[in-house]
Structures are given as C-alpha cells and as structure tokens.
Amino acid sequence: MTTIIRALIIFLLCLLTAAPGLASDAATAPTVLITGSNRGIGLEFARQYAALGWQVIATCRTPDSADQLQHIASQYPNLSIEKLDITDHAAVDALAERYAELAIDVLLNNAALLGSRGKQVLGNMDYELLRRIIEVNTVGTLKVTEAFSAHVAASRQKKIITLGSRAGSIEMLNSPPDFYAYRASKTALHLLMKNISLALADQGVLVGLINPGLVDTRGFAKIGPDDPVPEDFKEVVRLLRSGVLKLTSPEEAVGQMIAIIENLTAEQSGVFLNADGQVLPW
Ligand SMILES: NC(=O)c1ccc[n+]([C@@H]2O[C@H](COP(=O)([O-])OP(=O)(O)OC[C@H]3O[C@@H](n4cnc5c(N)ncnc54)[C@H](OP(=O)(O)O)[C@@H]3O)[C@@H](O)[C@H]2O)c1
C-alpha cells in the first residue's frame, strides 16, 4: 500500500515538473541583476521586475537588514537576494564567477552614493568623501559592468543600463555649484558608459544611460511647511516649493524607465536619456 502511494506521489511530482507552463516560464523569463536594491529606486526596480515575472537578482550591501527587499522576496520566488558591495572588487568577481553560466538580459547599475552637500563645496571639500563617492559611483559601477558584460552579451536582450544623473551634465550645470564629487563621479560615469557602448556594440550589447529625474527617495513629499528640513536639502526643497523642480515617485519613475529599457534601440545606445525618453546634453 505504502509503495503504491509513494509511486503515485512520484508520478504526480513528475507530471508537475514536466508541466510545460512551469518549465517554460522559468526557462524563458528574462533575468535582471540590480545593484543597490535594498532601498530607493533599486528597491522599486526589484519590486516591479519581480511582479513582471522576471528572474531578479537583487543585490545589496547588507541583505540581513534589507527588510523591504526581504519582504518582496517572500512574495516572489523569482527574486533572489545576493550580498554585493560594488567597491569590493573581489566580491564582484566572485559573484560574476558564481553566475558564470547565467545569461543576464539586463544589468542594472543603480547603486550610488550622493554624500553630504555641505562637504562637497569649494572651501569645505572633504577629500575622503570625494574619493569614496568616485570609488562607488564611477569605479564600482565600471567594475560591475566589466565583470558582468560577458553574462549580458550571452543573453537575449543584451542590455547594460546605468542610472546617470543630470547633475553630471556639464551643459545643464547651474549656479550655485554644489555636490562637486557626486556631479564629477556621474560625469565620468557617463563617459565610461559611452566608451562601453562603443566597445560592446559589435557584440550586440545596448548601453542605456538614464537620468531618473528628481525621484522622491528621501521623503520630500511628506515634508510639511512647518517641518524642519535637513541642511543638505534646503535648496532642493526651496526649488520644489517654488515649482521650479518637479518630483516623481519611485513607482512612477521606475515604471517609465522599465518602458524605456524594454524599447531601447541601437540608436539610443550610448546616448544620455531622460526617464521620459528625451535626449539630454552631456
Ligand atoms: N533619486 C533621485 O532623484 C536621483 C536623481 C538622479 C539620479 N539618481 C540615481 O539613481 C540611482 C538610485 O538613486 P536613489 O535615489 O534610489 O539612491 P539612494 O536612495 O541613495 O540609494 C542608493 C543605493 O545604493 C546603494 N549603495 C551605496 N553604496 C553602495 C556600494 N558601495 N555597493 C552597493 N550598493 C551601494 C545603497 O545601499 P545602502 O543602503 O547599503 O547604502 C542604496 O541601496 C543612483 O545611481 C542615483 O545617482 C537618483
């Protein structure tokens, strides 16, 4: 009797694993690897790609304290979390090696460090912070891109997407200049992505460089008229209140960017794009 029941269970299991829907979904779902996915825009990318059924490799520096990401992972079995500090080159290489056999359709370079505004102005420059910002935003992003470019080239979609910033556009720089290190790190990153678009073009890899716009990852929308505003953000809050700047939510910005990534063309590779698809000046 027990043998019959066991045989029946094995038969049912075989039927389940052989079901074409299940097998083909996992096999055909595209894969995205995201850096810095524990909060802000990266977290929202992880959430939306997971909901779209993609295989999501959501990386972050400290998975143990990434509560919101852990919550998404508990809802979506197609999302896995990996520990990755993009400035730890040995760890980047080790992760790339561990996934050597995996084709990655979209590599999403999201992680970045903004740093304190007051420490990035002429007369009060914190050089340790400046080095750190460049180490994360420029060097770390380049290292991740280099380590995973073969995984992307082996995929169907072949897309490297990097979040740049209009703060790194020399042409769009307004007075008073601030965030010196962050701006410089993004300007250099833009140039590196242009280089990479040229270097990988003959392998069919598309390099998308996207400015997300001003996205409310710091809770600006919740600041009331009488609430204290952190010194670093007084200028941006002033511009928001006067209507000069417009804020988007992470949900809206990421939705826009996923549409751009989905429809990215060879002509847009190595071009600096806004989240709404407009071309931005360098
Ligand atoms: N929000 C905007 O308005 C805006 C505008 C223009 C461009 N962008 C760009 O969009 C991207 C996301 O912005 P955001 O506002 O979501 O930023 P955010 O809220 O400050 O989040 C930054 C993310 O990067 C991670 N990170 C920092 N250093 C790292 C490292 N060494 N290794 C791995 N991860 C690291 C952070 O992880 P921890 O939590 O561990 O620090 C965090 O997950 C950035 O590239 C940013 O420059 C944003």
Side-chain angles (χ1 to χ4, degrees):
M1 188 67 173
T2 339
T3 321
I4 294 172
I5 291 173
R6 199 182 303 145
L8 196 62
I9 290 171
I10 291 172
F11 175 70
L12 284 173
L13 277 176
C14 287
L15 268 186
L16 264 179
T17 50
L22 291 179
S24 63
D25 280 359
T28 56
T31 298
V32 58
L33 185 147
I34 309 167
T35 61
S37 46
N38 55 307
R39 61 185 166 103
I41 294 173
L43 179 72
E44 187 57 28
F45 265 122
R47 188 196 316 276
Q48 291 199 23
Y49 271 121
L52 287 168
W54 284 50
Q55 294 298 316
V56 181
I57 304 169
T59 73
C60 63
R61 291 196 293 180
T62 49
D64 288 349
S65 56
D67 297 342
Q68 290 175 281
L69 188 58
Q70 300 274 9
H71 180 66
I72 299 172
S74 71
Q75 295 175 307
Y76 295 100
N78 50 320
L79 184 147
S80 58
I81 303 175
E82 292 284 359
K83 181 178 167 65
L84 187 67
D85 180 330
I86 65 167
T87 63
D88 181 344
H89 292 204
V92 173
D93 283 336
L95 192 66
E97 179 58 33
R98 197 142 58 76
Y99 282 117
E101 302 305 320
L102 183 75
I104 294 176
D105 293 273
V106 173
L107 169 65
L108 224 162
N109 287 314
N110 162 78
L113 175 61
L114 177 64
S116 158
R117 181 176 188 253
K119 293 178 176 175
Q120 301 177 57
V121 286
L122 204 61
N124 194 33
M125 199 68 71
D126 179 336
Y127 286 93
E128 211 35 64
L129 179 64
L130 182 145
R131 283 191 199 94
R132 177 73 192 156
I133 289 173
I134 290 174
E135 193 61 43
V136 177
N137 300 358
T138 317
V139 182
T141 305
L142 176 62
K143 175 64 193 173
V144 170
T145 306
E146 188 181 28
F148 285 96
S149 61
H151 306 63
V152 174
S155 73
R156 281 198 210 145
Q157 297 200 19
K158 301 182 202 295
K159 292 171 186 166
I160 294 172
I161 306 298
T162 298
L163 298 197
S165 173
R166 62 171 288 157
S169 164
I170 295 175
E171 204 170 319
M172 289 191 283
L173 185 60
N174 290 321
S175 207
D178 57 4
F179 289 108
Y180 280 44
Y182 177 75
R183 288 178 186 279
S185 73
K186 289 290 185 178
T187 310
L189 181 63
H190 296 171
L191 179 97
L192 291 173
M193 289 302 140
K194 177 77 190 178
N195 284 357
I196 290 166
S197 74
L198 298 175
L200 300 182
D202 61 358
Q203 293 179 52
V205 174
L206 302 182
V207 177
L209 178 62
I210 307 176
N211 168 53
L214 190 59
V215 185
D216 195 8
T217 52
R218 301 272 187 287
F220 292 136
K222 289 190 198 131
I223 299 178
D226 300 323
D227 290 340
V229 179
E231 195 56 43
D232 269 359
F233 298 116
K234 282 209 163 123
E235 180 62 8
V236 75
V237 169
R238 189 185 68 76
L239 294 171
L240 284 169
R241 284 179 178 159
S242 65
V244 173
L245 291 179
K246 190 181 164 296
L247 204 58
T248 52
S249 67
E251 295 79 6
E252 190 187 343
V254 166
Q256 273 188 323
M257 288 189 278
I258 286 180
I260 297 231
I261 295 167
E262 188 63 28
N263 298 310
L264 195 73
T265 63
E267 292 67 39
Q268 290 173 315
S269 186
V271 173
F272 185 27
L273 296 173
N274 203 34
D276 62 7
Q278 296 293 309
V279 175
L280 294 174
W282 298 110

